[in-house]
Amino acid sequence: MRRPQQEGLAVSGKRVAVQAPIGGLNARDPVSAMKETDAIELENWFPRSSSVDLRKGFIQFADLPVAGHTLMCYNTAAGADVLFAACDDGIYDVTAGGVISGSPATPLSSPLSCQFTLISTAGGKFLWACNGVDKPKLYTGSAWVTLDSTSTPALTGISDTTKIVNVSLFKSRLIFSLKDSLSFWYLPVNSIAGVAVEFPLGALFRQGGYIVATASFTVDGGNGPDDRLAIITNKGEVAVYTGTDPSSASTWALTGIYQIPPPIGRKCIVRVEGDLAILTSLGVVPFSKAVLKSSSGTLTTITDKVSPLFNSLWQEGRGLEDWQLFIHSPETMMIVNIPLLSGDRHQLVLNTSTGAWCRFTGMPASGFENFNLGLYSIWGDKVYKNWEGYNDNGSSILARVRQAYTSLQSPHRLKHVKLLQLPLTISADIGLRLALDKDYESTLSISGLSSSARSDVARWNSAVWDVDRWVGMFVNTQWRKVSCQPGFMISLRSELNVKDTSVAWTITNYIYETGGIF
């Protein structure tokens, strides 16, 4: 198809292509030392292996009668997954979405987040939840049970079950920790209740404090006899045990005590290919590296490349609820949910396949959960389905980037960029604002430039059915004039404010003239 000619843009000069910033956000290195495939800013773009894509949006999924704090998915082999929202007055079934009315499935009295785990036994699959204020809740697949010494099933061995604040699963055994305690409690194998037995650890943890979380990890990359139990305190001390039965010295042994930075909140652990990733005050720590650090003296965090940004966000949001480390495997995402004093929630997001980071804004979330392969979040009295469509519940998505500086393959020559081409793959016309910085200076404001629409395709509300042509994705190949002073190093800044269109960016083409040599 022919496209309209761009009059007045015929220039001579050298043409160079620069890859989009698939290396992701780099807040660590000096701008003079970054790879040109990194980004100084990368907001609401998600870096993939060969392109940088506009993040998807979200839609409202459910309207709750009161504010909620935690989403919990009960999944079954039959695929009949159930989604629950833990709210100020109780736990609601929100599987069907829409307006949620009536009484909660089971009551709660605390506006606190719940910790939960799934366990399968010969009797079925169960969801076990606790929050450190209410008695623990057990979902049997058809009903909720409030657990204490008189319930059916009964939970004994803990005098006050309202103090149970954390639960995890280790080798088919439920492990509990209590508020302000340096002990953990455990049940018999394949049990959802029964007699909980205390395992005191106060003598091991020299810094005191309390247990924040427990988690299972492995040294062989799978699930099996090599799995170990990590017990983490709020001071960052970690005790690791191996074995099967904490009551038997012959089958239970301490393998080490390790030190990591203090963890953030109780939703601070995810399992990644057998290893543990732990959200701490210095960033996300891979536990296997923390063990090695004990001998080497150095610790490299997963968030190392964005550590200055993480540190500034941590200083602003420390002490607030809603910090969460979360994995959304279908999109290879590790998400750090970050609460801010302003009331906003930002996310630092890692592509776990490429190791590239970015930052999401405008996505409200007190907590995330996976449900039916989708990414869901809860915020106030709303549940949202995320990574859905290309608008934020009806509003446009604002995306910004500031790419690392490039010499345009002429490091020793002065360059004057004449034309710029972003061959974006889009599904509709978009508005685009651009600027070029030179020599590590941001001196020019971003100017508004609209991408040209395709003249050969149908337009909604004006096209003639069965006459005009309808298309899906297309590549915008418009060349643009952008104000730029001559310089040796060039950095692209851009801003999109788009709605209802996907955008994929793979490369940027420059045409420039060269000047003197320094």
Side-chain angles (χ1 to χ4, degrees):
M1 292 292 179
R2 293 191 304 166
R3 297 182 57 82
Q5 291 183 355
Q6 296 173 245
E7 297 180 359
L9 296 186
V11 297
S12 60
K14 185 176 181 179
R15 176 171 173 169
V16 171
V18 176
Q19 174 74 54
I22 59 174
L25 181 61
N26 187 341
R28 175 198 62 202
D29 297 332
V31 293
S32 60
M34 289 185 189
K35 296 180 179 179
E36 66 177 23
T37 51
D38 285 348
I40 304 167
E41 298 176 17
L42 194 64
E43 179 181 341
N44 288 333
W45 290 95
F46 185 61
R48 299 190 183 275
S49 58
S50 59
S51 67
V52 179
D53 298 352
L54 179 72
R55 75 152 170 85
K56 290 188 177 182
F58 59 88
I59 59 173
Q60 183 175 321
F61 175 74
D63 192 351
L64 301 167
V66 296
H69 308 278
T70 307
L71 292 177
M72 304 179 291
C73 180
Y74 172 85
N75 52 58
T76 67
D81 294 356
V82 183
L83 185 64
F84 293 104
C87 300
D88 288 354
D89 65 348
I91 297 175
Y92 291 84
D93 185 339
V94 298
T95 305
V99 177
I100 307 301
S101 59
S103 301
T106 186
L108 294 174
S109 62
S110 171
L112 294 176
S113 296
C114 286
Q115 315 302 314
F116 62 95
T117 193
L118 290 167
I119 178 172
S120 296
T121 71
K125 195 165 192 175
F126 302 89
L127 175 65
W128 220 101
C130 55
N131 64 10
V133 174
D134 295 284
K135 293 179 180 180
K137 305 290 183 175
L138 176 71
Y139 182 66
T140 64
S142 58
W144 284 92
V145 177
T146 300
L147 295 171
D148 58 20
S149 60
T150 63
S151 61
T152 303
L155 179 62
T156 62
I158 299 174
S159 59
D160 185 0
T161 59
T162 65
K163 293 183 178 180
I164 300 176
V165 72
N166 188 265
V167 59
S168 66
L169 187 65
F170 176 68
K171 293 184 178 178
S172 302
R173 189 190 297 271
L174 288 174
I175 305 292
F176 310 127
S177 54
L178 275 58
K179 290 175 62 177
D180 303 320
S181 174
L182 284 174
S183 294
F184 71 82
W185 279 255
Y186 61 94
L187 288 179
V189 172
N190 295 322
S191 297
I192 55 175
V195 180
V197 179
E198 181 180 5
F199 195 93
L201 292 170
L204 291 180
F205 296 127
R206 299 179 180 179
Q207 300 179 49
Y210 54 87
I211 293 173
V212 167
T214 59
S216 172
F217 72 102
T218 184
V219 295
D220 62 3
N223 293 305
D226 288 327
D227 283 9
R228 301 183 182 185
L229 179 67
I231 304 102
I232 306 169
T233 75
N234 65 314
K235 303 294 185 180
E237 290 185 283
V238 186
V240 175
Y241 280 86
T242 186
T244 56
D245 186 357
S247 67
S248 172
S250 62
T251 61
W252 188 254
L254 175 69
T255 62
I257 302 288
Y258 308 98
Q259 183 68 55
I260 64 172
I264 301 176
R266 295 188 182 274
K267 296 181 179 180
C268 60
I269 303 177
V270 294
R271 188 166 172 171
V272 184
E273 296 180 352
D275 198 1
L276 296 179
I278 307 172
L279 179 60
T280 77
S281 59
L282 290 184
V284 179
V285 173
F287 186 64
S288 59
K289 299 290 179 63
V291 172
L292 295 174
K293 181 255 182 185
S294 296
S295 58
S296 68
T298 60
L299 175 61
T300 300
T301 64
I302 298 173
T303 45
D304 178 62
K305 200 171 181 179
V306 293
S307 55
L309 175 59
F310 177 89
N311 292 339
S312 66
L313 294 171
W314 160 238
Q315 291 302 319
E316 180 178 350
R318 64 187 306 165
L320 299 178
E321 296 289 335
D322 299 346
W323 286 88
Q324 182 187 19
L325 185 62
F326 188 77
I327 294 288
H328 182 54
S329 298
E331 293 294 337
T332 64
M333 289 181 180
M334 176 186 289
I335 302 172
V336 183
N337 195 45
I338 301 172
L340 301 176
L341 289 174
S342 63
D344 292 337
R345 298 294 182 268
H346 288 189
Q347 295 83 33
L348 289 178
V349 183
L350 173 72
N351 185 328
T352 56
S353 293
T354 68
W357 285 94
C358 60
R359 181 179 187 174
F360 289 172
T361 60
M363 288 178 56
S366 296
F368 289 98
E369 177 65 323
N370 292 309
F371 174 59
N372 286 337
L373 300 179
L375 177 64
Y376 289 73
S377 65
I378 190 167
W379 176 257
D381 61 355
K382 302 290 188 293
V383 176
Y384 295 103
K385 184 178 182 182
N386 297 278
W387 215 251
E388 182 77 9
Y390 290 96
N391 67 75
D392 285 351
N393 205 34
S395 299
S396 58
I397 300 173
L398 177 63
R400 298 185 179 94
V401 66
R402 185 181 176 200
Q403 194 163 6
Y405 283 86
T406 173
S407 67
L408 296 177
Q409 300 179 9
S410 300
H412 304 299
R413 283 191 175 273
L414 193 67
K415 291 166 285 290
H416 190 188
V417 176
K418 296 297 185 178
L419 292 178
L420 180 69
Q421 182 193 56
L422 270 74
L424 302 174
T425 303
I426 54 181
S427 56
D429 190 31
I430 63 173
L432 181 63
R433 289 157 54 91
L434 296 171
L436 291 176
D437 297 331
K438 58 97 176 176
D439 297 339
Y440 316 114
E441 299 175 355
S442 295
T443 57
L444 297 176
S445 61
I446 296 182
S447 59
L449 294 171
S450 294
S451 64
S452 60
R454 289 191 62 167
S455 59
D456 61 324
V457 300
R459 290 292 167 194
W460 185 257
N461 211 32
S462 64
V464 178
W465 186 263
D466 212 24
V467 174
D468 289 300
R469 181 180 179 183
W470 297 85
V471 298
M473 305 299 295
F474 63 95
V475 179
N476 186 301
T477 57
Q478 180 183 8
W479 284 93
R480 311 165 187 276
K481 285 185 176 180
V482 183
S483 298
C484 180
Q485 299 175 1
F488 293 97
M489 302 295 292
I490 302 296
S491 170
L492 171 67
R493 283 189 289 139
S494 72
E495 185 176 287
L496 291 172
N497 199 343
V498 298
K499 182 180 177 182
D500 299 332
T501 178
S502 60
V503 184
W505 173 24
T506 56
I507 205 164
T508 304
N509 293 311
Y510 296 84
I511 292 179
Y512 65 91
E513 295 177 345
T514 57
I517 302 175
F518 71 88

